[in-house]
Structures are given as C-alpha cells and as structure tokens.
Amino acid sequence: MDFGGESVLSSDLWNKAQAVFAGGVNSPVRAAVKPFPFYTRSAKGAYLVTEDSRRLIDFVLGYGPLILGHAHPKVIEAVKDQLERGWLYGTPSRAEVELASMITKHVPSAQKVRFVNSGTEATMTALRLSRGFTGRSKILKFDGNYHGAHDYVLIDAGSAASEFGVPFSQGIPTEVSSTVLVCPYNDLTCVETVLKREEIAGVIVEPVMGNMGVIPPEKDFLPGLRKLTREYGSVLIFDEVITGFRLGLGGAQSYFGVTPDLTTLGKIIGGGFPIGAVCGRKEIMDQLTPSGRVFNAGTFNANPISMTAGIATIQELEKKEVYTVSERAARVLAEEIDRAIKMDHVVNRVYNFFQFFLGVKDVRNANDARKAKRDLYVKVHESLLKEGVFIPPSQFEALFTSGAHDDDVVNESARVFKKVLEDLT
C-alpha cells in the first residue's frame, strides 16, 4: 500500500503498520491507544494535529522532552542553522562543549559529561561505570522504576513494561538478572538490609517515580539513600531522564537538595531530538574510555543536531518563564481533577508533571499504583480523547505541561476534565 502524498486516515496507516512493525508500533505504549493509535500529521505549541484532521491538546509532549511545547521557534531556528552547516561530522564540535558546559553549570553532580543517544544508553553506561569504579557486580533498583530497555533494568520495570505485563522481559539471561536486586520505592529499611548483605556497585533510582504514574519521594527517602550509599561504598545514580531540567535547571537533585554520584539525563536536554547523557563526579567519569577502562563509544554520540537543539532549549529555560507557566498549568489542572473526581482517588503532582489514580487512597510505591482502577483510567483517557484532550493511554505514565500550556489551554482542558471525570467517576 503506497499512500504517496495523498490524504490518509489513521485507520489506513494502522492497517499498514501492523504488516510492517511488530505489534504495529515502534514503542509499545503507542499501541495502548484504542481501538488503534491516531497518527500525528503536525504539532505546534500545546497541540497535535492528527492525520484525521483533529486538533488535540497534548499532555504527553513526547513523554516529557518538549517542555517548551511543540516546534518552538528558537529550536527550529537553531536546528535549521545547524543543518546548513552539516549534521554529522565524526569529529568533536563546538556545540557539544557548549551544551556540556550548560549541564555542568546547572546540575550539581555534573563535574564531567558523556553524551550518548538515549536514556537507555545513559543508564546502561552509568551502571557499567558503577561496576567498573567499585569493582563490584551487583545493582540495586526499585520496583516500578523504569530505566530504559536494557537487560540490567528490565526487572520489576515500570512504564510500558508494566502496562503490557512484562516487568520481567524474556530474553534476559539468569546470569544477568541474578546480579540485580530490587526494593520497594520509598523503603529505606529494605535498602539498608540489601546494602548490609550484598556488595552493591550502584543504586539506581528515579528521584521522582515517573514511570508508574507519578510518585514523589517521601521526605527522608533521597537523603537516606545518599547516607546509606556513602556508608556502604555504593555509587548513587539518579535517573533524571524525566526530571532533569524539568523540575528546574538543576533537576530533582536541586529540587530536593540531594546530590548523587552519577546522573543520567535525556529527553529535555536534546530539545526533542534523540539524546542521553551520563554526568557525575570526575573520578568516576574519568573511568570512561579513552581516559579509563570502562568502554563507551557511539557514531552518533554528541551529534550536532541534538546538541544544538539542547542548547536552544536550555537557553529558553534559563529565562525561567517556561517553568512559571508549566508549573501553574500542572497545579491548576491537578487541583481541578482532584475536585472533579467523586470516588476514592489520589492526584500526585511534582512541580510540572502529575498523574491521577482512581479507586485508591494512597500511592507511595509501585504496588499501590497497581491497585488503582486501570480499566476506569482507560475509559477516562478514551473520553478525554473524544473531547480533544490527549493524556497518556497508560496509567503508568505521567501528564506533562509546558511553556505552551497557557491560560487558554488550561481553561479549555479544565472544562473537559471536569465534564469527563464527573461523568465517569
């Protein structure tokens, strides 16, 4: 089926996609939109336009990267300029030094940076670094935290892994899974027990759980992790692929005042283009090749397009207005949702991202999130979509706001949320 340049519906594209892609998609959560995914033709500001010519208010924002909104003019301008000068050199470029300098300026843990191409590559590299630095082999992670799609973290994983019932992926050797230990999020007693019993190379955590819905850390959790990892000689890794440059220029570590040894970044630092980064203490980062013996390399590491888009994005964030607008949007909508839901529920918000859970009274870890009425959440998602509002199709994702979610967008969204939630809950 060759569509050429003619108009085509999402249903036609879905039929074709099922023949050429496993499951019809290239990332599983996209298939959670029922009865089939809509296909996006264009996007601007807070809106998506589908191939079916529907205009939707977007609270997915590419699952977090687009904090400026879609197609921000400053990012477009910067990328167009870079395209004129070439988009892949195979050599270092000025842009990578500039973006790394911005990261080391703003992120407390970032003494040195290594750019990679995705959050998955970033966490994979950070875990390898922790093992190389400590000489230990075991890793501690948290139930429901999602750190990408590589073998060492697809154990009790959140995000699409939980949505599709595969928190333990097939294809992972037991020799790998036996080196990964898991504690409940917000449970320091479990952490201390594991660190006492095992020689743990690294403890990796989402400082705010963003892949099981949104679950904030309890007051003592992050400081407790910092204290325990220092006491037992383990590398503390904050996975800030979501929270980095979202909760302010310094990310979650500035927001909560806790500095890890290593940080993984992605999403926002590429301005919507593919990117990942590991940053952290100099003596750990210097273990990476060519200065050390922990290997990392990549043809597209620090590619000029992602570097340039990231610079333009952070320059806008440094003006602070985007944070003001996005925080207000999230706060107003979270409050409206809280008022509109009539049944037992929880609305968890941290600054400018949030999620609601239906049929529960408290959500402090992954097990709590799993008890929410996911079937009802799906109905809410479907009803909102019919009314022109796009939220994540999975309970185990987050709603994001941006600098483009102004008062007009918020007011219309609040009206739709109120209508749908009062009807369904």
Side-chain angles (χ1 to χ4, degrees):
M1 187 186 303
D2 182 6
F3 298 113
E6 62 189 52
S7 178
V8 61
L9 299 176
S10 290
S11 57
D12 298 322
L13 290 165
W14 176 239
N15 289 335
K16 175 67 172 176
Q18 291 176 90
V20 295
F21 302 129
V25 292
N26 285 289
S27 191
V29 74
R30 299 172 194 172
V33 178
K34 303 301 181 186
F36 52 82
F38 64 83
Y39 286 71
T40 300
R41 179 192 305 156
S42 64
K44 184 70 175 178
Y47 295 91
L48 298 172
V49 178
T50 75
E51 290 287 358
D52 313 290
S53 299
R54 296 195 65 216
R55 190 169 183 250
L56 306 174
I57 298 174
D58 184 17
F59 289 100
V60 176
L61 295 173
Y63 292 92
L66 299 170
I67 194 168
L68 305 185
H70 292 279
H72 192 279
K74 292 293 187 182
V75 178
I76 292 173
E77 179 184 357
V79 169
K80 280 184 174 179
D81 179 66
Q82 180 60 57
L83 283 169
E84 292 293 330
R85 293 182 285 113
W87 50 88
L88 184 64
Y89 302 142
T91 72
S93 72
R94 173 178 173 175
E96 68 193 72
V97 178
E98 292 180 358
L99 182 56
S101 297
M102 287 176 151
I103 291 170
T104 57
K105 174 184 177 183
H106 292 302
V107 178
S109 65
Q111 296 177 355
K112 288 193 172 183
V113 180
R114 170 64 59 92
F115 288 116
V116 290
N117 295 287
S118 67
T120 290
E121 286 187 32
T123 60
M124 182 170 60
T125 303
L127 292 176
R128 187 181 300 151
L129 264 175
S130 73
R131 297 193 297 269
F133 180 71
T134 62
R136 302 171 179 178
S137 62
K138 293 186 177 180
I139 300 298
L140 175 62
K141 71 176 293 289
F142 294 89
D143 180 20
N145 277 202
Y146 179 74
H147 305 293
H150 61 92
D151 289 1
Y152 282 94
V153 292
L154 282 177
I155 295 161
D156 278 329
S159 191
S162 282
E163 174 65 23
F164 288 91
V166 286
F168 296 86
S169 173
Q170 291 185 2
I172 298 175
T174 55
E175 293 85 355
V176 172
S177 59
S178 66
T179 67
V180 182
L181 293 95
V182 181
C183 279
Y185 189 73
N186 277 324
D187 188 341
L188 287 174
T189 301
C190 177
V191 173
E192 184 163 19
T193 298
V194 171
L195 293 181
K196 279 182 178 178
R197 187 181 70 233
E198 305 283 354
E199 291 284 307
I200 298 295
V203 176
I204 186 167
V205 64
E206 290 184 90
V208 177
M209 208 164 168
N211 288 286
M212 206 72 189
V214 174
I215 305 177
E218 294 181 349
K219 181 180 178 181
D220 296 332
F221 181 58
L222 298 180
L225 288 181
R226 178 66 286 179
K227 178 178 180 294
L228 288 169
T229 50
R230 280 185 177 142
E231 182 177 346
Y232 291 97
S234 301
V235 175
L236 179 59
I237 305 164
F238 276 10
D239 181 352
E240 294 223 44
V241 169
I242 288 177
T243 55
F245 288 89
R246 175 159 286 280
L247 302 187
L249 293 167
Q253 55 201 265
S254 286
Y255 191 87
F256 294 106
V258 178
T259 303
D261 301 304
L262 293 176
T263 300
T264 58
L265 298 170
K267 295 187 185 285
I268 286 174
I269 64 163
F273 287 82
I275 199 168
V278 185
C279 53
R281 286 166 45 194
K282 177 182 181 296
E283 62 269 30
I284 302 178
M285 294 298 298
D286 280 344
Q287 301 299 311
L288 286 170
T289 50
S291 54
R293 296 185 59 80
V294 176
F295 189 78
N296 169 265
T299 298
F300 296 101
N301 283 8
N303 79 83
I305 300 299
S306 296
M307 299 295 102
T308 300
I311 292 167
T313 297
I314 294 175
Q315 285 174 339
E316 289 301 303
L317 293 177
E318 288 173 336
K319 300 173 185 176
K320 303 296 178 70
E321 182 182 358
V322 168
Y323 290 123
T324 300
V325 173
S326 61
E327 188 279 333
R328 180 185 181 280
R331 173 168 38 86
V332 170
L333 288 169
E335 290 170 355
E336 182 60 49
I337 289 167
D338 192 36
R339 286 191 295 268
I341 299 172
K342 300 187 289 291
M343 66 192 307
D344 286 342
H345 68 281
V346 173
V347 181
N348 279 343
R349 177 180 71 91
V350 179
Y351 200 58
N352 52 15
F353 72 125
F354 63 99
Q355 182 57 287
F356 57 93
F357 304 85
L358 302 171
V360 292
K361 295 181 178 180
D362 186 37
V363 178
R364 61 183 295 271
N365 57 39
N367 272 337
D368 293 338
R370 294 183 184 110
K371 295 173 185 174
K373 293 183 178 295
R374 290 171 58 196
D375 55 343
L376 183 54
Y377 177 90
V378 170
K379 291 179 181 177
V380 171
H381 167 267
E382 291 172 350
S383 295
L384 289 169
L385 193 56
K386 290 176 182 176
E387 296 287 337
V389 173
F390 179 46
I391 68 169
S394 168
Q395 172 75 83
F396 302 138
E397 302 288 352
L399 284 77
F400 297 98
T401 54
S402 74
H405 285 71
D406 59 19
D407 288 347
D408 289 340
V409 173
V410 169
N411 292 339
E412 173 60 14
S413 302
R415 181 192 69 78
V416 173
F417 273 110
K418 185 173 188 291
K419 175 183 177 182
V420 168
L421 291 168
E422 288 183 347
D423 181 52
L424 289 178
T425 66

